[in-house]
Structure formats: C-alpha cells, structure tokens
Amino acid sequence: MSKVWVFFLLIGIISSFFLGTTDEVIKSINMIGNESLKVFLRLSFLMLLWNGLFNVLKDANVIKYLTKVFKKPCSLLFKEIDPTSECFELIVANIIANMIGLGSCATVLGIKVVKILDEENKKEELIKFILINISTLCIFPSTIIGIRMVNNSSYQMNHLFIVVSLFSFFITLFVNNIFKRKRVWKVF
C-alpha cells in the first residue's frame, strides 16, 4: 500500500512541474503537515483527559460498581463465562468503556479479553464479544465529540446517535444468534 501512496505523490509532484503549480503543492504539503500535527495534539490531550478520567473512576471503585450493575445483563449475553472470573469483569469494563465513548481504553481491555477467551478455547463467546465491540454500544460518544470540537464543528450531538447505536447492537446480537443456530461459526 505504501508503494501506491508513493506513486500518487510522485505523479502529483511531476504533474505540478508541467502545470506550473509547484509553489502551491509545496505550500499545501507544509500546511497539511502543520494542520495534521495540530489535530493530533488536540486529540491526544482529549484522549489523555478521558483515559485519565476512566482511571480515576476505576480507582474510585465506580467501575466496580458499574460492573455489578451490568453483571446481570452481561451474564445473559455471555452464558458460558463465569460471572466471577477476571475475564467477565474485563468484558463488563470493556462494554462500559465503549458505552462512554472511550475506545482507546476499551481496546486495551478488549485485547486482554480476546487473549483469555482464546486460551480458554471459547470461540463462540469470543466471536460474540468481537461482534459486540464492532457494533459499539455507545451512550456518550466522547471521541466523536472531541473530534468535532477540534474541527470547530457547529453541529451538536443529538439523541439519534444513541438510537442508531442501540439498533446496531441489537441487530448484531440477532445476526449472531442466527449464525450460531445455523452453525456458521463452527468453521472457526
């Protein structure tokens, strides 16, 4: 893929020589680099803020409390996993992190869950967990709000996002159950 980008870059530079727009190309390359760095730094600080907040909530045992609250619904989703296990606690923490829009925290937790489920050879639960993460049940999209803030978007978040997120989540569970009954997942 990197060869494709180098090819496009070279074509753009060569065509700028023939079109006489070399100065504009150089200015835009410098401007894009500068803008990319600004957006990266702004988003990095937002991610640090939200991840730090998640760690504060974790240290204040709020995440443990939420884990207890979500234990029953999650035990209905993941019936083959012991609700007292570390894996189950990580699953619930992952779902909570996704719900409050902390994708970077959820990724770390998700990787740990995938390793544990793979070691325990619980393939159907692993597939269900990955599908739930892909559908991203999200109540408060902090990353999306942060990206909009960085880009000075005037559009406000509306409740349609929550409806679409819930719809995606339930459709994912529905399709998973259909494939599970038809034994499509047995291939893995």
Side-chain angles (χ1 to χ4, degrees):
M1 190 67 182
S2 62
K3 292 178 184 178
V4 173
W5 288 111
V6 169
F7 174 74
F8 282 132
L9 183 64
L10 290 176
I11 292 294
I13 292 172
I14 291 170
S15 65
S16 73
F17 284 123
F18 291 116
L19 297 173
T21 58
T22 311
D23 290 339
E24 293 173 22
V25 170
I26 292 171
K27 286 179 186 175
S28 65
I29 288 173
N30 287 332
M31 183 183 69
I32 288 171
N34 191 20
E35 287 298 313
S36 299
L37 182 62
K38 285 180 184 177
V39 169
F40 170 76
L41 289 174
R42 289 178 186 161
L43 286 177
S44 305
F45 290 127
L46 281 171
M47 287 177 66
L48 286 171
L49 171 75
W50 289 114
N51 289 339
L53 179 64
F54 187 80
N55 286 331
V56 167
L57 293 174
K58 189 176 176 183
D59 290 343
N61 292 327
V62 173
I63 300 299
K64 280 196 179 214
Y65 172 75
L66 289 174
T67 303
K68 289 177 185 175
V69 170
F70 285 98
K71 194 173 243 185
K72 184 66 174 170
C74 287
S75 65
L76 294 173
L77 286 174
F78 299 98
K79 295 177 183 173
E80 294 179 21
I81 300 174
D82 178 25
T84 60
S85 68
E86 176 193 4
C87 180
F88 190 80
E89 194 171 304
L90 288 171
I91 288 172
V92 176
N94 174 276
I95 290 172
I96 292 168
N98 271 329
M99 287 177 81
I100 56 178
L102 299 178
S104 55
C105 284
T107 301
V108 174
L109 296 167
I111 290 170
K112 290 177 184 177
V113 170
V114 168
K115 285 181 182 178
I116 293 171
L117 289 176
D118 192 40
E119 288 170 2
E120 293 177 0
N121 203 21
K122 295 184 177 178
K123 299 296 182 190
E124 288 184 7
E125 298 296 312
L126 175 62
I127 290 169
K128 188 187 306 178
F129 175 74
I130 290 172
L131 289 174
I132 287 172
N133 268 290
I134 290 170
S135 72
T136 310
L137 177 62
C138 186
I139 306 299
F140 180 73
S142 59
T143 304
I144 293 173
I145 291 170
I147 291 171
R148 288 177 179 232
M149 272 180 23
V150 165
N151 292 310
N152 299 323
S153 174
S154 61
Y155 182 75
Q156 299 296 321
M157 186 190 99
N158 58 19
H159 301 294
L160 185 61
F161 184 88
I162 297 170
V163 172
V164 171
S165 177
L166 286 169
F167 180 75
S168 168
F169 176 74
F170 288 117
I171 290 296
T172 300
L173 293 177
F174 178 72
V175 170
N176 180 49
N177 284 335
I178 289 174
F179 281 178
K180 189 173 160 183
R181 284 190 191 125
K182 299 217 181 238
R183 306 255 183 225
V184 173
W185 296 147
K186 292 295 180 184
V187 174
F188 302 101

